[in-house]
C-alpha cells in the first residue's frame, strides 16, 4: 500500500510540474511574440531610414554628376 501511496504522490507531483511548465511555456510564447513584434517594427523603421538614405545618396550623386559635367564642359555653361 505504501508503494501505491508514493506512486500517487509522485504522479500528482509530476502533473503539477507539467501544469507549471505549460504555464511557463505560454508566458514565454507571449514574450516571444511581443519581442518579435517590437523587432518587426524596428526592422520596418530601419528599412525606411535606409531607403531614405539611398534616395538622398542618389540625389547627391546626381548633383555631383551635374557639377562634374559642368567642370568637364565649362564653355557649355557660359
Amino acid at each position: 500500500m505504501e508503494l501505491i501511496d508514493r506512486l500517487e504522490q509522485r504522479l500528482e507531483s509530476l502533473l503539477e510540474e507539467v501544469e507549471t511548465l505549460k504555464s511557463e511555456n505560454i508566458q514565454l510564447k507571449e514574450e516571444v511574440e511581443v519581442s518579435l513584434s517590437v523587432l518587426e517594427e524596428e526592422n520596418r523603421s530601419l528599412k525606411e531610414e535606409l531607403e531614405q538614405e539611398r534616395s538622398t545618396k542618389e540625389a547627391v550623386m546626381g548633383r555631383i554628376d551635374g557639377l562634374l559635367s559642368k567642370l568637364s564642359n565649362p564653355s557649355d555653361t557660359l
Side-chain angles (χ1 to χ4, degrees):
M1 196 65 162
E2 183 181 329
L3 286 176
I4 295 288
D5 289 341
R6 287 177 44 202
L7 181 60
E8 284 177 338
Q9 288 175 349
R10 181 67 179 142
L11 179 61
E12 288 194 27
S13 173
L14 288 172
L15 289 173
E16 288 175 9
E17 188 174 346
V18 165
E19 284 303 313
T20 300
L21 291 172
K22 283 181 181 179
S23 295
E24 288 177 7
N25 192 23
I26 289 170
Q27 181 181 354
L28 288 171
K29 283 181 179 180
E30 290 172 355
E31 289 175 11
V32 165
E33 287 176 6
V34 168
S35 295
L36 284 175
S37 177
V38 168
L39 287 174
E40 286 172 355
E41 176 60 29
E42 185 176 344
N43 192 26
R44 184 195 60 73
S45 176
L46 289 172
K47 283 181 179 180
E48 288 176 1
E49 288 179 36
L50 179 60
E51 187 55 40
Q52 181 63 40
E53 289 294 323
R54 285 181 179 157
S55 286
T56 301
K57 178 184 174 187
E58 287 176 8
V60 168
M61 293 301 287
R63 291 176 72 182
I64 289 172
D65 287 344
L67 291 172
L68 288 172
S69 177
K70 286 181 182 179
L71 287 173
S72 297
N73 303 312
S75 61
D76 291 348
T77 59
L78 297 175

